[in-house]
Amino acid sequence: MANSYKMLVMLPVMFAARKLDGEDPNVIYWLRVAYFSMQSIIVMLVLYTYIQASSAAKGKENKVVYVAPAAQPFADPNTKKKYTQTTLGTHLLSQARSLLGSTLFGIAMTSGLHFYRGMVIGLAIQSIMGPINLTDNALVKAFCFGKGLQDDDRLFEEKTADELTHDDEVVDESGNPVVVRTTIGGAAAGKNESGTTTLEELVLDTWDDGAKADLGPLMAAITKKNCNAKTKENGWTPLMVLSGLGGVKGNGSAMRQVIALGGNPAITDVEGWNAMHWAAFHGSAEAAKTLGKEGSLWDVKDKEGKKALEHARAEGNDDVAKILEEIEAEVNAPTDKTKEEGLRKRK
């Protein structure tokens, strides 16, 4: 709405500015008076806003908020918003610096074009649009024309962790996905001080949920950098936990995604179990099939000297045991070349 209003003002202003005689010394003189007088006022207001925002930011360094990007004039209104995780203090300083920098740059650009290129239209347009753009800025509204920053203010339409919904996508300042734990109604559960959940917490929570586990939050948090991260106490990796959750919908696809990111199923936990041991012990047939394509995991012994097949048999997981037996038989089966060499030796 604000952009439409500005457009309605700018069009007649541009039309009127083109009618000005840029060769008339009197016109140029009064345009300069109007422009530089207005810009002087704008600079003072922006400097005051910057000082007030910097002061307000000092008490907001630890308040984590989630900020959506600024609305674009012709953006699709149905596009899903992507919120950036930051602190209110950091965002206040960032916006204040951006306002000050853009204001000074605009003045330098318009002045340069006027004095070095003789353009006068810019002076006329910015004399009108400058204050309109300024009064539309959230920081200026709050610190110059409002009561400052109040605790319940949402200057940037930001959200807190409790206000996020399951449909909101959250990234950090580098664009990496961040998982924020929320419950229906907005009440946060199991969060640390920043309102976010660590990968280790997600791994453990996913395992604790068992057959009812929702793999979405865990998969959203796994990246190339952390796909092989271990839990501190037991040395569990995301791929191990997924290998043991055979009854969860989408588990096989999730495992393949983690492996594609660089997940290593050969990593072992404190008991010497790799991902295949997990699949065998917990009866995850689909996981066993997926892991069967990832080298000789079936042949690795844990700290008790047991292979995955022994765990499958001991737990009565016959379907997994059959898969492992077939893998072992296929690996140990003589190839055509070996058969031919054997016949030659006997001859």
Side-chain angles (χ1 to χ4, degrees):
M1 185 64 109
N3 288 316
S4 300
Y5 163 70
K6 289 182 183 179
M7 192 66 68
L8 291 174
V9 174
M10 181 179 289
L11 289 175
V13 169
M14 291 178 63
F15 181 78
R18 291 181 178 277
K19 298 294 185 180
L20 295 174
D21 185 357
E23 302 296 330
D24 189 333
N26 289 326
V27 172
I28 295 175
Y29 171 78
W30 287 111
L31 279 176
R32 288 176 178 175
V33 170
Y35 174 76
F36 288 108
S37 296
M38 186 58 65
Q39 295 306 313
S40 297
I41 296 173
I42 288 175
V43 168
M44 287 189 289
L45 289 174
V46 169
L47 286 173
Y48 176 78
T49 300
Y50 178 82
I51 293 170
Q52 293 299 312
S54 299
S55 177
K58 292 179 180 179
K60 308 293 182 182
E61 297 97 335
N62 298 321
K63 183 177 181 180
V64 177
V65 293
Y66 303 87
V67 184
Q72 300 300 317
F74 304 105
D76 183 357
N78 298 319
T79 301
K80 184 178 180 180
K81 285 187 177 181
K82 182 179 291 186
Y83 289 84
T84 300
Q85 176 183 291
T86 183
T87 65
L88 184 56
T90 300
H91 195 64
L92 275 170
L93 279 176
S94 173
Q95 294 300 303
R97 289 168 181 164
S98 176
L99 173 63
L100 180 59
S102 62
T103 299
L104 296 178
F105 178 79
I107 293 173
M109 178 67 73
T110 302
S111 301
L113 289 173
H114 172 64
F115 288 109
Y116 292 100
R117 295 291 182 179
M119 295 181 65
V120 297
I121 295 179
L123 299 181
I125 293 175
Q126 291 304 316
S127 296
I128 303 297
M129 297 306 301
I132 292 177
N133 292 330
L134 184 68
T135 54
D136 195 45
N137 183 274
L139 291 178
V140 175
K141 284 182 180 179
F143 294 110
C144 293
F145 306 113
K147 298 180 180 180
L149 181 62
Q150 306 299 315
D151 290 337
D152 57 346
D153 283 346
R154 294 289 187 270
L155 297 185
F156 315 106
E157 298 183 9
E158 69 273 18
K159 290 185 177 183
T160 63
D162 293 346
E163 295 168 340
L164 290 171
T165 68
H166 294 294
D167 294 328
D168 291 331
E169 183 178 357
V170 180
V171 298
D172 61 20
E173 294 177 351
S174 300
N176 300 313
V178 173
V179 178
V180 181
R181 295 291 301 279
T182 59
T183 59
I184 297 174
K191 299 180 298 184
N192 56 27
E193 291 181 358
S194 68
T196 60
T197 303
T198 64
L199 179 64
E200 178 167 348
E201 291 172 325
L202 284 169
V203 168
L204 296 175
D205 289 347
T206 301
W207 180 249
D208 289 341
D209 290 340
K212 298 180 180 180
D214 177 8
L215 301 182
L218 175 60
M219 294 304 297
I222 296 175
T223 66
K224 290 183 178 180
K225 293 182 179 180
N226 65 17
C227 60
N228 290 314
K230 290 185 173 184
T231 60
K232 294 178 181 178
E233 184 176 353
N234 298 309
W236 297 353
T237 67
L239 196 54
M240 291 176 188
V241 168
L242 291 172
S243 298
L245 294 173
V248 177
K249 183 179 180 181
N251 182 60
S253 174
M255 289 183 61
R256 289 188 287 274
Q257 290 180 49
V258 174
I259 292 173
L261 286 172
N264 184 0
I267 293 175
T268 57
D269 60 18
V270 294
E271 296 179 349
W273 285 18
N274 60 30
M276 186 67 87
H277 286 96
W278 277 71
F281 185 87
H282 296 288
S284 179
E286 185 175 4
K289 290 179 181 178
T290 301
L291 295 170
K293 304 173 184 178
E294 301 298 324
S296 56
L297 298 172
W298 59 274
D299 198 34
V300 176
K301 295 181 179 180
D302 61 19
K303 291 185 177 180
E304 295 181 349
K306 295 181 180 180
K307 296 182 181 181
L309 179 56
E310 295 175 73
H311 286 293
R313 288 171 176 168
E315 296 300 318
N317 298 323
D318 297 335
D319 51 347
V320 178
K322 184 178 180 180
I323 293 171
L324 291 172
E325 288 169 354
E326 291 174 352
I327 294 173
E328 185 173 358
E330 183 179 350
V331 172
N332 293 330
T335 62
D336 292 339
K337 184 177 181 180
T338 303
K339 292 178 181 178
E340 185 180 345
E341 289 175 350
L343 289 173
R344 288 175 180 174
K345 286 179 182 178
R346 286 196 292 274
K347 291 178 180 178

